[in-house]
Structures are given as structure tokens and as C-alpha cells.
Amino acid sequence: MSDQMERKKRILSGIQPTGTFTLGNYIGAVRNWGSLQEDFECLYMVADLHSLTVRQEPAALRRQTREAAAMLLAAGIDPKVSLLFVQSHVPAHVQLSWILSCNTQFGELSRMTQFKDKSAKHADNVNAGLFTYPALMAADILVYNADLVPVGVDQKQHLELARNVAQRFNNLYSPTFTLPEPYIGKTGAKIMSLQEPDKKMSKSDSNANSFILMTDDADTILRKCKRAVTDSDGVVRAGDGKPGVTNLMSIYSSLTGKTFADIEKEFEGQGYGVFKEAVAGSVIDAFRPIQAEYARILADREYLDGVLKEGAAAASRIADRMVAKVYKKVGLVQL
Ligand code: TYM
């Protein structure tokens, strides 16, 4: 087999350190990251630059960045196998993002639903970074020539833009970037709010009962599940008109591997109370070992910072080469 055929496909993904990760982040993204390490060459990053598109308290951002990295390690990223780093520690992302911004159209960025949502939510701070965010995200991916990007459904549109920009650049100059594919799980790619199940579960939601955090203790998880909005039907079944129950079924299915048919059978003739307790139990069981590891890793600052330093150095070696190549192609003088 040639070297080319033997090369593992490369994966890149990122998560913002804007608060503790939710059950949605876990099921939709983070959970899969660890399991992909065996078959792929993986790079994972804490997207701190992206979070500056919304106002952040500096001390909190610093703390949350380390917490995010510790949580990713606790959730199964093995730094001996994969690279874990902080986005701002690899300047090549920003360097490439400028070039990509100059190859991204105003109209394309205007169509991004996340831009529309966030600019409505933060109407007093519709900054240029919020608008050009997808060009930075494209740079995150393209600077490593990533083949696959594991994300939840909400990031799919940004990924399509990254592909379009890559293709445009390749056509305009010469083949440079790999066109990245989204890698989206079959279940749980969009976990909904427990209080308003037609909305995505989000750590920035003002109602704390709408999300479960990866650091929530067992009592809190049970309480939030019990309070989850369902319907008056009383039957554990997925489908139209039952978004709350369907969402709880997605959570339970993602964490236990049971199909929707299995779940309907398991809770046949039983009320929502029993079902909600089982859902809470599956979340508690998933988080218990992660929470113990998280506390241990977070307490070991030297280890954590060491991992991030090594990750950034190794990532920079790959990314700097790409920036040099791109700068040359677009006509910037190299001395
Ligand atoms: P972020 O920080 O909003 O979310 C991180 C990951 O979690 C997924 N996710 C969900 N999945 C299922 N259900 C939910 N309720 C839910 N909420 C969030 C997201 O889809 C995402 O995969 N722009 C990105 C971060 C980023 C990135 C990148 C990702 C920056 N550069 C390059 C991939 C590649 C973001 O804001 O994710």
C-alpha cells in the first residue's frame, strides 16, 4: 500500500469556552471526539477567539478556557494520541482567516443563520467579528487540511461555507485545500432545550432548567429531567406534536444505544415519571466518571498547561506550513 493510502484521515473540531459544556455539546460533539481517535488523526481545540464575538469577562474567559480543556481530556481525548490546543495559541488560524475573508462574499456571510440569531440576541454588539466568524472557522479547518469535522447539526451551515470557500480558492489559484466533510452522528446531533423543546439546548440560555451541564450533580440532573416539558398524552413515543418526549428519547437513546422502538417498549404502559428517572439515570451514569477525572485534571495546572503547550507547538508546525504556502500563492512576498 502506498503512503498516501495508509495515511489516516484527519479530523479537526472545536468548542467555545463560553461556559460549562452542556449535555447537547456532549452528545452532539464531545462524546464522539474520543472514540474517533483510533481511526483518525485528530486535532481538537478550545475556540477561545470565537467566543470574543460576544462580550466576555477576561478572568472568566481564562478560567473557562482551562476548564474546557480539562473537560475534553476528562471526556476521553488522549493527548498522547491526539492534539489538544487553544485556538489563540496557534496564530496561523488568524493569519489564514484574513486571506479567506478576502475570498468570502458579504452575501454568503449574511445568510448564516447563527449570525442572524446572535445579532438579534446581542443587538447592542453586532460586531464585525460576529459577521466574519465563519471565515475564521473555515481557517481552523482548512489550515490543517482536515478531511472530516465532527459537529452537531447547528454547525453544518458554517461547514458548507468552509467547503465553498476552499473550492473557490482552489479554482482561483491551484489545488490547495482539502474539501472538509461534516461528520454528524445519527442520533443526538441536535439536543433540544428541556423547557422549550423546539429550541436547541444552549449554555447561553437564561433559564438554567433548560440545559444540563456536564458538571451538574446527580440531584440537579434528576430535578432538571423531572421538570422537562413533555405533553399531556402520557405515552412514551416519538413523533410529531411530542417534541419534549422525542428529545428525552434522543438523549436516552444516544447514551444507552437503545433504539426508539426499544424505548417505546421498555416504557409501555408507564407514565413519564418513570421514564424521566431513567433518562436522568443514563445522564448521571455517563457523567459520573468524567466528573471525577475533570476535578483531578483541573487541579493539576502544570499537567494541563503542559498538554496545551505541546498541542499548540505541534499544531503550529502543521498550520504554519499551510499559511506559508497560501501566502505565496496569493502573491505575498516571501523573503
Ligand atoms: P459550540 O461551542 O457552539 O458547540 C460545540 C459543539 O457542540 C455542538 N452542539 C450541539 N450538538 C447537539 N445538540 C446541541 N444542543 C448542541 N449544542 C452545541 C455543536 O454543533 C458543536 O459541534 N463554531 C463552533 C466552534 C468551532 C468549530 C471550529 C467547530 C470553531 N471552529 C472548527 C468545528 C470546526 C461552535 O461555536 O461550537
Side-chain angles (χ1 to χ4, degrees):
M1 221 191 286
S2 73
D3 280 358
Q4 189 56 36
M5 284 171 81
E6 278 173 21
R7 186 179 87 83
K8 281 186 181 175
K9 286 201 169 180
R10 188 175 281 169
I11 280 194
L12 176 289
S13 201
I15 187 161
Q16 293 195 54
T18 42
T20 309
F21 301 161
T22 66
L23 179 63
N25 293 132
Y26 179 68
I27 294 179
V30 173
R31 177 178 69 129
N32 305 322
W33 294 4
S35 52
L36 293 165
Q37 298 176 110
E38 226 171 88
D39 298 326
F40 300 96
E41 181 193 346
C42 299
L43 297 104
Y44 296 121
M45 61 162 200
V46 179
D48 58 344
L49 293 171
H50 274 103
S51 54
L52 294 177
T53 54
V54 172
R55 294 241 185 284
Q56 304 291 334
E57 208 270 292
L61 180 60
R62 268 192 289 274
R63 179 173 46 75
Q64 287 166 2
T65 299
R66 285 200 174 89
E67 287 174 354
M71 189 59 96
L72 293 176
L73 291 169
I77 290 175
D78 179 353
K80 291 194 206 75
V81 180
S82 305
L83 296 187
L84 175 66
F85 59 93
V86 175
Q87 186 183 28
S88 65
H89 296 172
V90 183
H93 293 230
V94 175
Q95 293 172 316
L96 182 61
S97 85
W98 177 253
I99 308 293
L100 297 183
S101 293
C102 297
N103 287 280
T104 307
Q105 299 304 306
F106 182 88
E108 285 179 302
L109 293 171
S110 311
R111 285 193 291 276
M112 296 291 114
T113 54
Q114 187 173 304
F115 171 70
K116 291 187 219 167
D117 291 350
K118 285 209 176 170
S119 46
K121 200 166 160 193
H122 303 277
D124 58 335
N125 184 23
V126 184
N127 60 77
L130 193 63
F131 188 65
T132 57
Y133 175 122
L136 177 58
M137 183 162 156
D140 299 335
I141 300 165
L142 303 181
V143 84
Y144 301 105
N145 264 340
D147 300 286
L148 292 169
V149 184
V151 283
V153 165
D154 62 322
Q155 295 298 321
K156 203 166 163 233
Q157 197 186 26
H158 289 157
L159 218 73
E160 277 158 13
L161 182 90
R163 275 178 71 89
N164 291 342
V165 174
Q167 189 138 40
R168 182 173 309 140
F169 189 97
N170 289 350
N171 291 342
L172 210 56
Y173 297 94
S174 59
T176 309
F177 298 120
T178 303
L179 303 189
E181 300 274 355
Y183 186 98
I184 295 175
K186 278 185 208 71
T187 56
K190 192 170 186 188
I191 299 298
M192 311 307 278
S193 153
L194 299 179
Q195 292 298 315
E196 294 166 85
D198 53 337
K199 259 176 49 183
K200 182 184 82 160
M201 181 183 284
S202 163
K203 53 193 167 225
S204 57
D205 200 310
S206 55
N207 182 353
N209 283 322
S210 72
F211 52 74
I212 293 175
L213 297 178
M214 287 187 73
T215 48
D216 279 347
D217 61 26
D219 288 347
T220 308
I221 294 171
L222 183 61
R223 181 171 44 80
K224 288 180 177 177
C225 285
K226 281 191 168 165
R227 286 198 188 159
V229 169
T230 46
D231 51 57
S232 55
D233 188 25
V235 183
V236 177
R237 185 168 37 79
D240 286 349
K242 294 175 72 69
V245 173
T246 305
N247 186 40
L248 292 174
M249 287 176 71
S250 294
I251 294 170
Y252 191 61
S253 164
S254 303
L255 297 179
T256 61
K258 293 176 184 171
T259 64
F260 275 20
D262 294 338
I263 300 170
E264 286 175 12
K265 218 161 165 196
E266 183 178 350
F267 297 99
E268 205 177 315
Q270 307 195 54
Y272 289 152
V274 178
F275 173 54
K276 285 176 168 180
E277 275 177 30
V279 175
S282 70
V283 178
I284 293 165
D285 286 348
F287 286 176
R288 192 180 290 121
I290 298 176
Q291 290 178 350
E293 262 303 272
Y294 172 66
R296 195 185 64 73
I297 295 168
L298 199 58
D300 192 347
R301 168 80 69 96
E302 205 182 320
Y303 167 74
L304 183 59
D305 285 7
V307 166
L308 295 176
K309 243 186 200 163
E310 276 180 29
S316 290
R317 281 195 286 277
I318 308 173
D320 288 348
R321 274 202 302 273
M322 178 60 99
V323 166
K325 192 162 141 184
V326 168
Y327 273 20
K328 192 169 169 205
K329 287 200 186 201
V330 299
L332 302 180
V333 169
Q334 321 246 291
L335 297 178

